[in-house]
Amino acid sequence: MKITKRRLLESGAAAFAASLFAPGSLAQRSATGAAGSDAWPTKPVRILVGFPAGASPDLAARAIAEPLSKILRQPVTVENKPGASGNLVADQVAKATDDHTFGALINGNLTIAKLLNPKLSFDPEKDFLPVGMIGTAPLVLVVSGNATGKTAADLLLWTRNLSSSGKYGTPGVGTVGHLGMELIKSRAAITAQHKPYTGNPQVIAGLLAGEIQLALLPPGLAMPHVKSGKIKAIGVTSPERSPLANELPTIRDADVRGADLEIWTALAAPAGMKPAAIAKLNAALVEVTSSPDVSQALLKTGWQAQPGTPDALAKRMRADTARLGGVIIMKGIHSET
C-alpha cells in the first residue's frame, strides 16, 4: 500500500487523539479525594458559558440549569463570560478549585483548541474531566439561491463546477464551520476558497449578497432562508437525518462520505474535580436531558438532547480530535484565539 503524506498526517492526528481522554487516564485523574455523593453539592453550582446571552451554548446551559437545581437541591447559575470562541471560559474552568464550577463548552474548547493555538494556557487532554453531553446539532451545507439544480447531487455538482473561483464563508479561522468545510472539500472534490467573517449572521449576509457561494450553518440560522428560497441546502452533516431539519437529506445521500460532523455543547469539570461530584452531576444531567420537557426546550433552541455518560463524551472528544485534528495538520491551520 502506498503511504501518502495525507495518510501519514491523518494517522498522526488519530494517534494524538487516541491518547486523549482514555478511560484509564480519566479514572486516574479523577481518583483524587473521593467524597460521599450525598455531601455534594454544598453550595450553588456555577455553569460558565464563553458566549453572550442568547447564543446557542448559552441557551443550552439555561435549558438545563433550573431542572438541575431541583435535583441537586442547590441553585444552579449560568454566567456568561464571552471571548476567544469560548476559550477564556475554558481557561477559567480549568483553573477552578471550588468543586462547584463547571463549563458548558463546545467542540473546539474540548478537542482541538490546543492544536489550533499551542500558546493557550489550558490543555483539553490534561485540564478537563467530561461530565456529559447536553446537546448536539448537525450543520447544514448550503449554497447560493441561484445555484442550478434541485437535488443534493445536482447542487453538489454545481459547487464542484465553481472551481477555485468559488468561495465559502465561515465565522472565522479554526471554527467548526471552517474545518468542516475543509473536510467536505477533501471528500467531495470541491475547490472553493475560504472567506472568513466575524460571525454566522455575516456569513448569511455574504451568501445573500453573492460574496460567497456556499457555507456550513447551524440549522436554526439556515432553515428560515432555505424555506424562503433565498439559499438552497445540499444536506445535513450528521450521520442520519436530524429533527432540527428533518426535511433535509444527509450529505451522505449525495455520496459525500467520511465528512460526518456535528456541533455540540457539553458539561466539563476541572481535572481535579472529585469523582463523586462528577458522578452525581452526570446522573442529574442524564435525568434532565432525558425528560420530554427539557428535550423539547433544547430542540426549540437548536439542540437535540443527547443524554450520556462521561465515557461517551470522552469517546466523542477523541473522535472529533482525530477527525478535525487531521484537517488542522494537513492544512496548517492556526488560530490566535
Side-chain angles (χ1 to χ4, degrees):
M1 181 180 69
K2 183 179 180 181
I3 300 178
T4 63
K5 179 181 178 183
R6 172 174 163 178
R7 188 178 296 275
L8 283 170
L9 289 170
E10 289 182 333
S11 298
F16 172 81
S19 70
L20 305 183
F21 320 112
S25 175
L26 288 173
Q28 184 176 18
R29 281 187 279 137
S30 62
T32 58
S37 61
D38 291 341
W40 187 93
T42 58
K43 60 182 181 180
V45 174
R46 302 166 70 215
I47 299 177
L48 305 186
V49 178
F51 298 88
S56 296
D58 171 73
L59 295 174
R62 292 182 187 280
I64 64 169
E66 184 177 353
L68 281 178
S69 70
K70 293 178 180 177
I71 296 172
L72 298 175
R73 298 183 179 180
Q74 285 283 355
V76 176
T77 62
V78 176
E79 300 178 27
N80 300 91
K81 298 176 180 291
S85 300
N87 285 334
L88 291 180
V89 149
D91 182 64
Q92 292 181 42
V93 173
K95 292 179 171 64
T97 59
D98 64 354
D99 278 339
H100 289 72
T101 296
F102 300 84
L105 304 179
I106 62 172
N107 309 46
N109 309 138
L110 290 174
T111 57
I112 54 172
K114 196 72 171 179
L115 284 172
L116 283 169
N117 184 3
K119 296 179 182 179
L120 287 178
S121 58
F122 70 90
D123 187 332
E125 176 188 3
K126 300 175 181 178
D127 294 333
F128 299 110
L129 289 174
V131 176
M133 190 74 76
I134 300 173
T136 63
L139 293 170
V140 183
L141 181 58
V142 298
V143 296
S144 303
N146 62 0
T148 56
K150 294 183 178 180
T151 68
D154 289 343
L155 294 172
L156 191 61
L157 179 61
W158 181 84
T159 66
R160 291 191 182 110
N161 290 337
L162 290 170
S163 189
S164 58
S165 64
K167 292 183 175 63
Y168 72 89
T170 76
V173 173
T175 60
V176 176
H178 178 202
L179 302 178
M181 271 304 310
E182 288 297 328
L183 181 63
I184 289 171
K185 283 174 59 179
S186 70
R187 300 295 191 268
I190 295 171
T191 56
Q193 301 301 302
H194 183 210
K195 182 177 176 58
Y197 290 85
T198 57
N200 276 322
Q202 290 74 29
V203 173
I204 292 173
L207 268 172
L208 298 177
E211 296 173 355
I212 55 175
Q213 288 74 47
L214 67 162
L216 281 174
L217 295 170
L221 292 177
M223 293 313 295
H225 297 284
V226 171
K227 291 176 180 178
S228 72
K230 293 179 180 179
I231 59 178
K232 297 179 180 180
I234 292 176
V236 293
T237 57
S238 49
E240 300 175 350
R241 288 186 179 233
S242 169
L244 294 164
N246 53 21
E247 63 266 56
L248 295 184
T250 69
I251 60 173
R252 284 186 179 189
D253 296 326
D255 287 329
V256 180
R257 306 287 176 173
D260 296 339
L261 184 67
E262 292 178 309
I263 55 175
W264 45 263
T265 296
L267 282 186
M273 183 72 66
K274 293 180 174 64
I278 297 285
K280 190 167 185 179
L281 182 56
N282 173 262
L285 180 63
V286 169
E287 182 178 342
V288 164
T289 52
S290 298
S291 74
D293 288 347
V294 174
S295 295
Q296 190 61 32
L298 284 169
L299 205 62
K300 289 180 179 179
T301 61
W303 296 104
Q304 183 176 358
Q306 198 75 36
T309 64
D311 280 347
L313 175 54
K315 182 179 179 180
R316 175 67 72 96
M317 291 158 70
R318 291 194 299 271
D320 274 15
T321 301
R323 184 179 297 113
L324 298 180
V327 176
I328 292 167
I329 294 171
M330 282 190 289
K331 298 294 182 178
I333 298 170
H334 300 284
S335 173
E336 296 300 319
T337 59

